[in-house]
Amino acid sequence: MPLVKFLDEKLHDEVNPQYYIECADGKHPEAERSSQFTGAILRRIWQDNTNRKAEVQANEISISELSGCVRQSILKKQTDYAEYASRLYAATRGTALHHIVSSVQDLNDHQIIVEKRFRRMVNGIQVSGQVDELDLRQGILTDYKSVSELPSSPQPSWIKQLNMYRWLLQDCYDKDGNHYQFNIDLLRVVCLSFKTVKKLKVPLRDLAEIETMIQEGVGEFKKSLETGMLPLPQSPYNPYAFILCTNYCSVRNECLARLPGDKNG
């Protein structure tokens, strides 16, 4: 089940997205709604979210989901939820920056793959991932990140995510069923702020270790599909203490209600 409503930044209640956008456009002056976003930006935020969800099927799990909190990823597939536009904006800003980069790629250079999704079957479950940029000539996988401040080193979650992409690309298929086996020699993150850009080399991890992580996450996802049970939160995703859980999780209330992870909470 998807994101279905906005949360109002002022009243903190759930709002139909079309109505919220119309309020931002000034079509309902009687409503006590206020947003820092214009109707145009809200439309873009909502459309980007819809497009992202459409790319991943309900019975598959993405590399982004596996490299984060699997419990949250499952809940977002099972639960209708609402979110503040301000929390969704970062993803839309990142999408815009990705478009800037992909729009200037040489489409005739078939040694560069940009914004393409690949899939791999694991224990009866499809695992998918959309690469930002894959340079076949040099064996470089690049992931672009939108950031407010340039970091000095790659975040642990980025290292995990990029190495999971590397594992996926070893033996994968595209949407047309074409089979690929890509060898990746270098992983890197390119951090894009509104001031400047910074490249960060991402260390290569042992692929057997990465495969074990993926199999564990896929196993939890498959079990949830079959039984309705949720996996317990895994480190560092403590729903009571970790900042991404306490301040930014869209399904935190449902997560807490369903601890310790059984079918009915």
Side-chain angles (χ1 to χ4, degrees):
M1 298 179 184
L3 173 70
V4 294
K5 292 182 179 180
F6 279 119
L7 283 173
D8 186 273
E9 306 281 349
K10 177 182 177 181
L11 302 179
H12 307 292
D13 58 343
E14 297 183 1
V15 191
N16 176 278
Q18 185 58 41
Y19 178 73
Y20 197 53
I21 292 168
E22 289 177 358
C23 288
D25 281 335
K27 295 180 179 179
H28 302 285
E30 76 286 355
E32 295 183 10
R33 304 286 175 190
S34 63
S35 174
Q36 295 300 311
F37 299 103
T38 63
I41 297 176
L42 289 175
R43 286 188 191 89
R44 183 73 270 167
I45 289 173
W46 195 259
Q47 187 60 55
D48 284 345
N49 179 80
T50 301
N51 292 342
R52 281 190 295 271
K53 297 303 180 185
E55 291 171 354
V56 180
Q57 302 169 16
N59 61 345
E60 77 176 32
I61 189 164
S62 71
I63 291 295
S64 295
E65 292 170 329
L66 282 171
S67 61
C69 177
V70 176
R71 181 180 174 91
Q72 181 197 67
S73 298
I74 293 171
L75 279 171
K76 284 187 172 183
K77 292 177 183 290
Q78 296 178 346
T79 309
D80 286 343
Y81 63 97
E83 185 56 281
Y84 295 107
S86 56
R87 292 182 182 174
L88 299 169
Y89 173 64
T92 288
R93 187 181 68 181
T95 298
L97 290 172
H98 278 76
H99 287 329
I100 291 172
V101 174
S102 62
S103 65
V104 295
Q105 291 286 353
D106 183 357
L107 299 180
N108 294 317
D109 186 351
H110 299 296
Q111 294 300 303
I112 303 291
I113 297 174
V114 178
E115 298 282 337
K116 183 168 182 175
R117 183 167 295 276
F118 295 96
R119 290 179 167 84
R120 183 172 177 177
M121 192 67 70
V122 180
N123 195 20
I125 297 294
Q126 279 198 132
V127 175
S128 76
Q130 179 166 299
V131 300
D132 288 348
E133 182 182 300
L134 176 57
D135 184 338
L136 303 180
R137 193 176 292 109
Q138 302 182 79
I140 300 175
L141 177 62
T142 301
D143 197 53
Y144 291 93
K145 300 290 187 185
S146 171
V147 298
S148 56
E149 298 292 337
L150 294 177
S152 59
S153 60
Q155 296 179 11
S157 61
W158 297 352
I159 297 173
K160 184 177 180 181
Q161 183 185 33
L162 266 290
N163 277 279
M164 284 186 169
Y165 276 122
R166 174 171 162 250
W167 171 88
L168 173 73
L169 293 170
Q170 274 199 323
D171 188 7
C172 60
Y173 295 83
D174 64 14
K175 65 178 182 179
D176 298 317
N178 299 308
H179 182 223
Y180 299 95
Q181 292 178 312
F182 300 114
N183 292 317
I184 309 299
D185 299 316
L186 176 65
L187 302 174
R188 68 182 182 188
V189 170
V190 177
C191 297
L192 308 169
S193 75
F194 280 106
K195 292 182 178 179
T196 187
V197 175
K198 184 176 184 178
K199 292 180 183 177
L200 296 173
K201 185 177 179 181
V202 173
L204 301 179
R205 300 301 191 208
D206 180 69
L207 284 177
E209 177 185 339
I210 295 299
E211 183 168 14
T212 297
M213 291 182 188
I214 289 173
Q215 289 177 340
E216 290 174 353
V218 168
E220 297 286 9
F221 178 61
K222 184 175 183 180
K223 181 179 178 180
S224 179
L225 288 177
E226 294 173 347
T227 68
M229 295 180 66
L230 288 172
L232 290 172
Q234 300 296 317
S235 178
Y237 298 98
N238 182 332
Y240 298 103
F242 190 48
I243 188 170
L244 293 183
C245 298
T246 57
N247 291 11
Y248 299 102
C249 180
S250 308
V251 290
R252 182 170 183 264
N253 289 340
E254 182 71 12
C255 173
L256 295 176
R258 294 184 62 178
L259 286 172
D262 63 8
K263 192 169 184 177
N264 300 308

